Amino acid sequence: MEWMVWTTPTTVFFSAIAAMLVGMTAWEVVSPTVERKGFLPIATTRGDRLFIGLLCAAYIHLLVVGFTPLSIWLALAASGLWLLILMRWG
């Protein structure tokens, strides 16, 4: 893995994704999900909302890294907040 520069933000980001996937798998085993309609224009399950949230997190990070001088920690915070909102009301 030495070919990739694992900075602290990168490690935290990918570790959080792995933890979310493990947590969602356990949650699905314990309590199977049903589709529901929130503010998204489609009916979604928890897994759908997680996938949409992870895609949004990638775009938020790309926008911050590519177009602003802001810290990537702000992108991580914004992504986490957006994911919480999406999972709850999406």
Side-chain angles (χ1 to χ4, degrees), residues 7-90:
T7 63
T8 302
T10 305
T11 304
V12 169
F13 181 73
F14 284 107
S15 297
I17 289 173
M20 283 187 285
L21 292 173
V22 169
M24 286 294 290
T25 300
W27 190 8
E28 188 67 28
V29 169
V30 171
S31 172
T33 188
V34 294
E35 286 190 354
R36 70 173 174 86
K37 180 102 167 67
F39 66 79
L40 294 172
I42 56 175
T44 58
T45 64
R46 285 188 299 249
D48 297 334
R49 291 187 298 276
L50 177 65
F51 180 72
I52 292 167
L54 290 175
L55 284 176
C56 290
Y59 285 118
I60 290 169
H61 279 79
L62 287 173
L63 288 172
V64 167
V65 168
F67 298 108
T68 70
L70 299 173
S71 169
I72 198 164
W73 288 108
L74 292 174
L76 183 63
S79 297
L81 179 63
W82 174 244
L83 185 61
L84 290 174
I85 291 168
L86 189 62
M87 292 299 289
R88 176 67 179 106
W89 296 290

